[in-house]
Amino acid sequence: MQIAFIGLGNMGGPMAINLVKAGHSVKAFDLSQDAVAKVVAEGGQAAASALDAVQGAEAIVTMLPASQHVEGLFLGQGGQSGLLASIAKGALIIDSSTIAAATSQKVAQAAQAAGIDFIDAPVSGGTGGAIAGTLTFMVGGSAGQLERARPLLEKMGANIFHAGSVGAGQTAKICNNMLLGILMVGTSEAIALGVANGLDPKVLSEIMRRSSGGNWALEKYNPFPGVHENAPASKGYTGGFGTDLMLKDLGLSQENATAVKASTPLGGMARAIYAAHSIAGHGGEDFSSVIKMLQKQG
Amino acid sequence: MQIAFIGLGNMGGPMAINLVKAGHSVKAFDLSQDAVAKVVAEGGQAAASALDAVQGAEAIVTMLPASQHVEGLFLGQGGQSGLLASIAKGALIIDSSTIAAATSQKVAQAAQAAGIDFIDAPVSGGTGGAIAGTLTFMVGGSAGQLERARPLLEKMGANIFHAGSVGAGQTAKICNNMLLGILMVGTSEAIALGVANGLDPKVLSEIMRRSSGGNWALEKYNPFPGVHENAPASKGYTGGFGTDLMLKDLGLSQENATAVKASTPLGGMARAIYAAHSIAGHGGEDFSSVIKMLQKQG
Amino acid sequence: MQIAFIGLGNMGGPMAINLVKAGHSVKAFDLSQDAVAKVVAEGGQAAASALDAVQGAEAIVTMLPASQHVEGLFLGQGGQSGLLASIAKGALIIDSSTIAAATSQKVAQAAQAAGIDFIDAPVSGGTGGAIAGTLTFMVGGSAGQLERARPLLEKMGANIFHAGSVGAGQTAKICNNMLLGILMVGTSEAIALGVANGLDPKVLSEIMRRSSGGNWALEKYNPFPGVHENAPASKGYTGGFGTDLMLKDLGLSQENATAVKASTPLGGMARAIYAAHSIAGHGGEDFSSVIKMLQKQG
Amino acid sequence: MQIAFIGLGNMGGPMAINLVKAGHSVKAFDLSQDAVAKVVAEGGQAAASALDAVQGAEAIVTMLPASQHVEGLFLGQGGQSGLLASIAKGALIIDSSTIAAATSQKVAQAAQAAGIDFIDAPVSGGTGGAIAGTLTFMVGGSAGQLERARPLLEKMGANIFHAGSVGAGQTAKICNNMLLGILMVGTSEAIALGVANGLDPKVLSEIMRRSSGGNWALEKYNPFPGVHENAPASKGYTGGFGTDLMLKDLGLSQENATAVKASTPLGGMARAIYAAHSIAGHGGEDFSSVIKMLQKQG
């Protein structure tokens, strides 16, 4: 299949390469020439621009930083017309960016008017999952659109969830990541409280993991150094999912909560805590480093 | 073995009966005659008083409501001398009450001075676990003391964790339950936010359960009615673990955090939320009913 | 002066009438005919549309519900062109709506390109202040623009603050109202805690008012019924500033905090609390009724 | 009058000296010989022990760090009998320590049984107020007991509030200081948010001070450096009221809230924030330095 891939960062790059490896013809674009070169090295083609990339494409995959980039790309901005005008009728857009659900819905509506399918398909699983092709996709769109996309998604991911109609993938992702942000702070608090009382963090973590406090952080991503050998906490809080990325997702959850008048006390608190952690200079560290806010180090 | 069992409530009663069924000689005491009668009906003996119960006992198991009851019972209060003076040297006390770690340590120190072993062994698993004999014990005491207690604990529970020295069982329990309180509010927020955006609570719950938001509440105890057939949420928030019990445990965690100068932002917030929920009249409902604070019902 | 006034609700209506009473020629528009009629009854003129209102106007005052209304009105929406194209070069726009600072800046930029002055001038002081002409204006714009506006602002308000360049009025207002939301919850907590300990709410309020806990709520707007005779709390939480309006302003503060990556733990928490209070059915009551969340009534 | 003064720290020392200066015979005791010497230098007498100090005293004033010190001193501890046994019948105890209300009540009850009056009279106003004799006293006890104490309190303070029966002084103080902790964090958030949007902290502070965000911190103790010349913020956060002291008072408020099952969401959050601030190494700085958690410095 002829595929355009736009946005080749730490996540998008490996995803595009997995599509190339699966035998697809992938025309790739990014503002960074180096990023394009990596895909070309694996057998992809370089596009001179986003407009060039979508020429003749049957499917377009995008992986961009924020709402305004997706809206600007497809709908245009600053007097420049958007890509929708140049994409072939009947094509399928898979947007894997993590953005506001309202933006997904706005672009999808314009796409539909132009005879183009648009689904939101944000991912979880990190750069490791992007490289291994084991990402989780949370998809918003019709069942039929998801089935169109499935063959491509399966080359990039291992779990594909149908969250609901367009925008629902974004909502599911921010709900999940809000909960993850809460789990990580809560788990950090619990361990820090135990350690302040003289408990061994490994012993306490194991007790809670097997009890009603059990959660993903205790299972796979313990914030206390040395409990999980391969977790970022045991590697100086490098790798993994950065504090500033968690802060962005928690910001999206709070914008959404504001829009629908939902009450998210712990989600709001988690955002404030990660914001303070970022202000203190830890924005580039893995988000599990938030335990430093709660426990004296060294 | 000759066992005294003091405190025969919803948890203590079935625990005492399991010891009876295992062939032990159990002399049981409670302020409620009915509670004593139930144990007698299963083959236990009635004690006329706590003092009567401990006469000649090799092991004493206690299951009492709060710190002051445990301290008063063993160390005395209001001019009345405590049970320690009447317990045989060399006996073993297993206190399964959920109380302040500092109280456990205070009583243990006095017991040690009297030549008596004392371990704290609070439980999780609810009344169902107490009846089935599948409780989880979190034990604070020496390894040797735990081994002394193990044959009895195994008749009442399925999982026995050695948390550390005396008091550590209490600390592990309040850390776990603080985390549980946070998980339940956080999970409720995430589901309520999704539903406010039009997502199906079952679909969203399943996505998060299998993603990085995964936790015990999503696994076994979903707060949204109808997602888990057997969870309290699907039975009008009856059964399970009451809001006021969660409030008590979160209070213990906050007292402990204050004592050791720990920072527990989400734990403190969870306590305030359950307190408000109780003030609104939901103290007797299962603690997962806290989702009502965050989502319009009906 | 020839003035167009658009948006004649509980606030805008009395403000327009004060301009009429000061001798200005005011052409007024609102979607509600009744609202227009009230201004006409005081000597204003009815405009058939917003477009009609601004014909020949030297100054345009707007008082609209939210960002999208202000942006839509001036910049156009849904294919319809905005008012800026029809406003005389050299005119002055005073927008007293409470909206996002970013929207104020966007509209101001377009106005400037069209040779029109635009300042943001949100108010505080409630409907009472609007009627009495004692509002507080927080103005964003150049010093020269403020001086142009001052003669009109002085007819509607008693305090005029120059917060900074365009958008700064909005920012100052949401900072102030975020703090107000926090003060009210914090004051409610402190009183509820004292009362739960048997203290007299009047005595405690007076002690804190004269000590380091002193704040505007204790001074003028006590949330406990009966402490301030004229406060909404003493009138069944009617009148005053509604819970849902406070929720809107706290939402604006959280959107802004997200945009600039600020950490506002108590502001976020206050928003979640007012949201839960609104979900519980108190959205239409005065915002000081939030004390009901923290204290059993009756 | 013959007065015993026990506890001569930063607060107690100057208070004792003010009693000396007023012409009273003051026998002073502290574990620090230096502290005693300072009072002696002003005309007081040195006591060899607390027991020595109270011999023949008509009034006893205490200013001790925490609940256990007051309870231990008067009721005894570790087998040692308390001072109550040695104080003359009919004497008056004024305890100005900030401790748990429950402890005040416990000691008062024992004092009453021994024919001794006991009132709690914690203070606010800092070391400056202690030296100047302008402290605020919040008194718990009967009206008659307060009148007995008033002549002494007036030598040490400028404002004397009768909060209610014994313990009420402590409750009023922790309610006030909980609110103060909230005000300071909330004010810091609001200023930090404004500054992040480009506003001038002085201008914004002045606007809020004169609007509905007005509070004691904006009036006298602005947390942003340079706004109030004499505030700790303008002196490197030295002087004033230390973070760890605020943390202690917030801890007392949370213990109290737990005991009476009150909901204090912002108070709990403020405690967690000050705890994190202390963990980060700022425990010895003035409590207004908490703004550092919310705003990048330098």
Side-chain angles (χ1 to χ4, degrees):
Chain A
M1 203 190 282
Q2 179 65 29
I3 300 171
F5 205 112
I6 300 170
L8 307 167
N10 291 332
M11 296 297 292
M15 289 166 72
I17 289 170
N18 279 327
L19 290 176
V20 169
K21 287 183 177 168
H24 292 292
S25 168
V26 177
K27 212 163 170 186
F29 178 71
D30 195 281
L31 293 174
S32 153
Q33 302 262 10
D34 282 0
V36 175
K38 282 185 196 165
V39 180
V40 171
E42 301 285 340
Q45 306 159 58
S49 65
L51 185 61
D52 178 30
V54 303
Q55 301 303 326
E58 298 160 84
I60 297 95
V61 186
T62 46
M63 191 57 159
L64 299 169
S67 297
Q68 68 266 32
H69 304 110
V70 175
E71 184 171 345
L73 182 74
F74 289 114
L75 306 188
Q77 63 186 342
Q80 208 172 356
S81 70
L83 279 192
L84 282 187
S86 309
I87 293 176
K89 214 166 175 164
L92 167 69
I93 299 172
I94 300 171
D95 178 36
S96 285
S97 318
T98 294
I99 63 173
T103 304
S104 300
Q105 289 158 350
K106 187 176 178 183
V107 176
Q109 199 171 7
Q112 190 177 18
I116 298 166
D117 279 338
F118 176 98
I119 64 172
D120 54 306
V123 302
S124 73
T127 52
I131 293 168
T134 58
L135 291 170
T136 293
F137 284 94
M138 306 177 195
V139 178
S142 71
Q145 290 171 327
L146 169 53
E147 290 318 310
R148 268 194 82 185
R150 190 181 294 276
L152 296 183
L153 300 178
E154 283 177 342
K155 302 304 182 202
M156 302 183 282
N159 295 297
I160 299 165
F161 293 114
H162 188 198
S165 59
V166 74
Q170 300 296 350
T171 301
K173 172 147 188 199
I174 62 163
C175 288
N176 182 74
N177 280 20
M178 181 178 81
L179 186 48
L180 171 59
I182 293 169
L183 296 183
M184 189 56 80
V185 176
T187 299
S188 296
E189 286 181 24
I191 295 176
L193 182 60
V195 169
N197 279 276
L199 268 65
D200 181 297
K202 276 195 190 184
V203 170
L204 175 60
S205 292
E206 180 63 10
I207 291 174
M208 297 193 296
R209 185 181 75 81
R210 293 174 58 187
S211 303
S212 51
N215 69 76
W216 185 84
L218 287 171
E219 204 66 51
K220 304 203 172 163
Y221 210 97
N222 199 296
F224 199 93
V227 177
H228 290 158
E229 242 178 70
N230 291 315
S234 300
K235 302 174 177 173
Y237 298 105
T238 57
F241 185 57
T243 292
D244 280 345
L245 291 172
M246 175 51 83
L247 182 55
K248 177 203 161 193
D249 286 3
L250 286 166
L252 286 170
S253 76
Q254 293 317 101
E255 285 178 355
N256 184 300
T258 297
V260 300
K261 301 196 178 176
S263 178
T264 56
L266 302 193
M269 190 51 43
R271 202 203 77 82
I273 291 169
Y274 285 106
H277 192 48
S278 179
I279 287 169
H282 304 284
E285 296 177 14
D286 180 74
F287 81 115
S288 64
S289 65
V290 74
I291 197 172
K292 293 180 182 178
M293 294 272 293
L294 307 170
Q295 184 156 56
K296 204 165 285 175
Q297 301 288 308
Chain B
M1 203 190 282
Q2 179 65 30
I3 301 170
F5 204 111
I6 300 169
L8 307 167
N10 291 334
M11 296 297 292
M15 290 166 70
I17 288 169
N18 278 329
L19 290 175
V20 170
K21 287 182 177 168
H24 292 291
S25 168
V26 176
K27 214 163 168 187
F29 178 70
D30 194 282
L31 293 174
S32 154
Q33 301 261 10
D34 283 0
V36 175
K38 281 184 197 165
V39 180
V40 170
E42 301 284 341
Q45 306 159 59
S49 66
L51 185 59
D52 179 29
V54 302
Q55 300 305 326
E58 298 159 85
I60 298 95
V61 186
T62 45
M63 192 55 160
L64 299 169
S67 297
Q68 68 265 32
H69 304 111
V70 175
E71 184 171 345
L73 182 74
F74 289 112
L75 306 188
Q77 62 185 342
Q80 208 172 356
S81 70
L83 279 193
L84 281 188
S86 309
I87 293 175
K89 213 166 176 165
L92 168 69
I93 300 171
I94 299 170
D95 179 36
S96 284
S97 319
T98 294
I99 62 173
T103 303
S104 300
Q105 289 157 350
K106 188 176 178 183
V107 175
Q109 199 171 7
Q112 190 178 18
I116 298 166
D117 278 338
F118 176 98
I119 64 172
D120 54 306
V123 303
S124 73
T127 53
I131 293 168
T134 57
L135 291 170
T136 293
F137 285 95
M138 306 178 196
V139 178
S142 71
Q145 289 171 327
L146 169 53
E147 290 317 311
R148 268 194 83 185
R150 190 181 295 276
L152 297 182
L153 300 178
E154 282 176 342
K155 302 304 181 203
M156 302 185 281
N159 295 298
I160 300 165
F161 293 114
H162 187 198
S165 60
V166 72
Q170 300 296 351
T171 302
K173 172 147 188 200
I174 61 163
C175 288
N176 182 74
N177 281 20
M178 180 178 81
L179 186 48
L180 171 59
I182 294 168
L183 296 183
M184 190 56 80
V185 177
T187 299
S188 296
E189 286 180 24
I191 295 176
L193 183 60
V195 169
N197 279 277
L199 268 63
D200 180 297
K202 277 197 190 184
V203 169
L204 175 59
S205 292
E206 179 63 10
I207 292 175
M208 297 193 296
R209 186 182 75 80
R210 293 173 59 186
S211 303
S212 52
N215 68 77
W216 184 85
L218 287 171
E219 202 67 51
K220 304 203 171 160
Y221 211 97
N222 199 296
F224 199 94
V227 177
H228 289 158
E229 243 179 68
N230 292 314
S234 300
K235 303 173 177 172
Y237 298 105
T238 58
F241 184 57
T243 293
D244 280 345
L245 291 172
M246 175 51 84
L247 182 55
K248 177 203 162 194
D249 286 3
L250 286 166
L252 286 171
S253 77
Q254 293 316 101
E255 285 178 355
N256 185 300
T258 296
V260 301
K261 301 196 178 176
S263 177
T264 56
L266 302 193
M269 189 51 42
R271 202 203 78 80
I273 291 169
Y274 285 106
H277 192 49
S278 180
I279 287 167
H282 304 284
E285 298 177 12
D286 180 74
F287 82 115
S288 64
S289 65
V290 74
I291 197 173
K292 292 180 182 179
M293 294 272 293
L294 308 170
Q295 185 156 55
K296 202 165 285 174
Q297 301 288 307
Chain C
M1 203 189 284
Q2 179 66 30
I3 300 170
F5 204 112
I6 300 170
L8 307 167
N10 291 333
M11 296 297 292
M15 289 166 71
I17 288 168
N18 279 329
L19 290 175
V20 170
K21 288 181 176 167
H24 292 291
S25 167
V26 176
K27 211 163 171 188
F29 178 70
D30 194 281
L31 293 174
S32 153
Q33 302 260 10
D34 281 0
V36 175
K38 283 183 196 167
V39 181
V40 171
E42 301 285 341
Q45 307 159 60
S49 65
L51 184 60
D52 178 30
V54 302
Q55 301 303 326
E58 297 158 85
I60 298 95
V61 186
T62 45
M63 192 55 159
L64 299 170
S67 297
Q68 68 266 29
H69 305 110
V70 175
E71 182 171 345
L73 182 73
F74 289 112
L75 306 189
Q77 62 186 342
Q80 208 170 356
S81 71
L83 280 192
L84 283 188
S86 309
I87 294 175
K89 215 167 175 163
L92 167 69
I93 300 171
I94 299 171
D95 178 36
S96 285
S97 319
T98 294
I99 62 173
T103 303
S104 300
Q105 289 158 349
K106 187 176 178 184
V107 176
Q109 198 171 8
Q112 190 177 18
I116 299 165
D117 279 338
F118 176 98
I119 63 171
D120 54 306
V123 302
S124 72
T127 53
I131 293 168
T134 58
L135 292 170
T136 293
F137 285 94
M138 306 177 195
V139 178
S142 71
Q145 290 171 327
L146 169 53
E147 290 318 308
R148 271 194 81 184
R150 191 181 294 276
L152 296 182
L153 300 178
E154 282 175 343
K155 302 304 182 205
M156 303 184 280
N159 295 297
I160 299 165
F161 293 114
H162 188 197
S165 59
V166 73
Q170 300 296 351
T171 301
K173 170 143 189 203
I174 61 162
C175 288
N176 182 74
N177 281 20
M178 181 177 81
L179 186 48
L180 170 59
I182 293 168
L183 296 182
M184 190 55 81
V185 177
T187 299
S188 297
E189 286 180 23
I191 295 175
L193 182 60
V195 170
N197 280 276
L199 267 65
D200 180 297
K202 275 196 191 183
V203 171
L204 175 60
S205 292
E206 181 62 11
I207 292 175
M208 297 192 297
R209 185 181 75 80
R210 294 173 58 188
S211 304
S212 51
N215 69 77
W216 184 86
L218 287 171
E219 205 65 52
K220 304 203 171 163
Y221 212 98
N222 199 295
F224 199 94
V227 177
H228 290 159
E229 243 180 69
N230 292 315
S234 300
K235 303 174 176 171
Y237 298 106
T238 57
F241 184 56
T243 292
D244 280 345
L245 291 172
M246 175 50 85
L247 182 56
K248 176 202 162 192
D249 285 4
L250 286 166
L252 286 170
S253 77
Q254 292 317 101
E255 285 178 355
N256 185 300
T258 297
V260 300
K261 300 197 178 174
S263 178
T264 56
L266 302 193
M269 190 52 42
R271 202 203 78 82
I273 290 169
Y274 285 105
H277 192 48
S278 180
I279 286 169
H282 304 284
E285 296 177 14
D286 180 73
F287 82 116
S288 64
S289 65
V290 74
I291 196 173
K292 293 181 181 178
M293 293 272 294
L294 307 170
Q295 184 155 56
K296 203 165 286 176
Q297 301 288 308
Chain D
M1 203 189 284
Q2 179 65 33
I3 300 170
F5 205 113
I6 300 169
L8 307 167
N10 291 334
M11 296 296 292
M15 289 166 70
I17 288 168
N18 279 329
L19 290 176
V20 170
K21 288 183 176 166
H24 293 290
S25 168
V26 177
K27 211 162 171 188
F29 178 69
D30 194 282
L31 293 175
S32 153
Q33 302 261 11
D34 282 1
V36 175
K38 282 184 196 165
V39 180
V40 171
E42 301 284 340
Q45 307 159 58
S49 65
L51 185 59
D52 178 30
V54 302
Q55 300 304 326
E58 298 159 85
I60 298 96
V61 187
T62 44
M63 192 55 158
L64 298 170
S67 297
Q68 68 266 30
H69 304 111
V70 175
E71 182 171 345
L73 182 74
F74 289 112
L75 305 188
Q77 62 187 342
Q80 209 170 356
S81 70
L83 280 191
L84 282 187
S86 310
I87 293 175
K89 216 167 174 163
L92 167 69
I93 300 172
I94 300 171
D95 179 36
S96 285
S97 318
T98 294
I99 64 174
T103 302
S104 300
Q105 289 158 348
K106 188 177 178 183
V107 176
Q109 198 172 8
Q112 190 177 18
I116 299 165
D117 278 337
F118 177 99
I119 63 171
D120 54 306
V123 303
S124 72
T127 53
I131 292 167
T134 58
L135 292 170
T136 293
F137 285 94
M138 306 177 195
V139 178
S142 71
Q145 290 172 328
L146 169 53
E147 290 317 310
R148 271 194 81 185
R150 190 182 294 276
L152 297 182
L153 299 178
E154 282 176 342
K155 301 306 180 204
M156 303 183 280
N159 294 297
I160 299 165
F161 293 114
H162 187 198
S165 60
V166 73
Q170 299 296 350
T171 301
K173 171 144 189 204
I174 61 163
C175 288
N176 182 74
N177 281 20
M178 181 178 81
L179 185 49
L180 170 59
I182 293 168
L183 297 183
M184 190 55 81
V185 177
T187 299
S188 297
E189 286 181 24
I191 296 176
L193 182 60
V195 170
N197 279 276
L199 268 64
D200 181 297
K202 276 195 190 184
V203 170
L204 175 60
S205 292
E206 180 63 10
I207 293 175
M208 297 192 297
R209 185 181 75 80
R210 294 174 58 186
S211 304
S212 51
N215 69 77
W216 185 85
L218 287 172
E219 204 65 52
K220 303 203 173 163
Y221 211 96
N222 199 296
F224 199 93
V227 177
H228 290 159
E229 244 179 67
N230 292 315
S234 300
K235 302 173 176 173
Y237 298 105
T238 58
F241 184 56
T243 292
D244 280 345
L245 292 172
M246 175 50 84
L247 182 56
K248 176 202 162 194
D249 286 3
L250 286 166
L252 286 170
S253 76
Q254 293 316 102
E255 285 178 355
N256 185 299
T258 297
V260 300
K261 301 197 178 175
S263 178
T264 56
L266 302 193
M269 190 51 43
R271 203 203 77 82
I273 291 169
Y274 284 106
H277 192 48
S278 180
I279 286 169
H282 304 285
E285 297 176 14
D286 180 74
F287 82 116
S288 64
S289 65
V290 73
I291 197 174
K292 293 181 182 179
M293 293 272 293
L294 307 170
Q295 185 156 56
K296 203 165 285 177
Q297 302 288 308

